[in-house]
Amino acid sequence: MDEPILTIEEREAINGGRWFSSLSPSLRHDILRCSFVKRYKDGDLIAARGDAPEEWIACARGAVRVSSTSVSGKQITLTYVEPGIWFGDVAFFDGERRTHDAYAHGDTTILCVARADFRKILQQHTELYEALLRLHARRIRQLFGLVEDLNTLPLRARLAKQLGHLVRSYGAPSLADGSEIRISLQLAQEELAQLLGASRQRVNQELKLMEREDVIRIEPGGLVVRNRQMLMRIGEGDL
């Protein structure tokens, strides 16, 4: 059976990633030349906590849900890796095991580079060292921003900022009204609450308030942003 290859849309997602697109053409070519494709169904395990790091991974379609398990055995979602984002390289550098579980959220395609090939690319392209430093610095800035928001912003603003991020990553114009934006990533309110470190009940209250204000519309298949400008103002703490 032939190995799967990226579709045109999946390749565009990889090539259009902010970090990947900043690399030189020769480096991008060698990374793609060494890579292979894996496809998963919703809920499939991609990598488990404690696994030895064997692959450098990029999401090409769908989303990768990164989670941990609490003492009581409950799964807690920490983040969703969107198309165009690379991850898994930290374990290559520190030699430690995977720290979290990674599951497919929806039908998901990932692009993988084996550990041995990753090392060869590093040897051939010293540019990749500096590029990875920039990538990790960006992640640290984002982490500091999340910690700051958690300690300084009310839940309403943090929820609006999270919805704004989902719009940028998974937003598509609504077929019914082009001025509205549908978030294609389907998240249960419990999953959204976990991302914000809040209870589902409180997140539900804030979502209903935004719906009454005509900022969003809650539908069985997900959320529709009706007024992106107002959503941004709420995220900035202005409303």
Side-chain angles (χ1 to χ4, degrees):
M1 185 176 178
D2 292 338
E3 291 185 356
I5 61 174
L6 293 176
T7 65
I8 293 175
E9 291 79 9
E10 291 166 349
R11 182 174 288 272
E12 287 177 348
I14 293 295
N15 288 328
R18 177 182 172 188
W19 176 79
F20 190 75
S21 63
S22 71
L23 305 179
S24 67
S26 60
L27 176 52
R28 295 199 304 269
H29 174 270
D30 283 355
I31 291 173
L32 294 175
R33 180 174 57 84
C34 294
S35 64
F36 54 95
V37 176
K38 291 185 177 180
R39 300 188 188 282
Y40 295 89
K41 296 295 185 183
D42 181 45
D44 287 350
L45 179 66
I46 296 174
R49 178 176 183 173
D51 281 352
E54 299 297 338
E55 297 166 346
W56 184 36
I57 302 171
C59 180
R61 175 180 175 237
V64 178
R65 176 169 58 85
V66 179
S67 64
S68 63
T69 305
S70 68
V71 176
S72 63
K74 180 182 179 181
Q75 275 202 350
I76 301 174
T77 299
L78 303 175
T79 189
Y80 291 86
V81 179
E82 64 201 58
I85 301 297
W86 290 80
F87 65 99
D89 44 275
V90 172
F92 284 173
F93 288 117
D94 66 14
E96 300 292 336
R97 302 272 175 167
R98 300 281 191 196
T99 56
H100 298 90
D101 298 319
Y103 292 89
H105 188 81
D107 290 340
T108 299
T109 302
I110 62 172
L111 190 65
C112 307
V113 176
R115 185 172 188 172
D117 289 327
F118 178 82
R119 288 175 172 172
K120 289 179 183 177
I121 296 171
L122 278 174
Q123 292 172 356
Q124 296 167 359
H125 296 271
T126 55
E127 168 197 352
L128 184 55
Y129 281 103
E130 184 178 346
L132 287 169
L133 283 174
R134 291 198 307 270
L135 179 62
H136 294 162
R138 186 180 303 158
R139 290 171 178 166
I140 292 171
R141 286 180 181 274
Q142 291 172 344
L143 179 60
F144 283 163
L146 289 173
V147 173
E148 181 179 358
D149 287 350
L150 187 62
N151 287 279
T152 61
L153 292 179
L155 176 59
R156 173 178 168 84
R158 289 190 286 117
L159 174 58
K161 291 184 72 170
Q162 182 63 57
L163 293 180
H165 172 73
L166 292 173
V167 165
R168 290 189 295 273
S169 303
Y170 294 97
S174 173
L175 296 178
D177 186 342
S179 67
E180 298 180 345
I181 304 173
R182 179 177 300 278
I183 298 175
S184 61
L185 183 70
Q186 295 188 6
L187 294 180
Q189 289 188 11
E190 177 64 30
E191 294 169 325
L192 189 56
Q194 289 177 11
L195 291 176
L196 297 165
S199 68
R200 185 195 64 78
Q201 291 80 3
R202 288 192 61 204
V203 168
N204 177 262
Q205 291 172 358
E206 295 294 348
L207 288 172
K208 288 184 176 179
L209 176 59
M210 289 185 191
E211 187 172 41
R212 290 196 296 270
E213 295 170 337
D214 292 329
V215 178
I216 65 170
R217 183 170 66 253
I218 303 172
E219 296 184 350
L223 293 174
V224 175
V225 175
R226 303 186 62 190
N227 191 328
R228 188 174 182 179
Q229 293 300 319
M230 188 175 291
L231 184 71
M232 292 173 61
R233 290 185 61 190
I234 294 173
E236 293 168 355
D238 292 341
L239 293 175

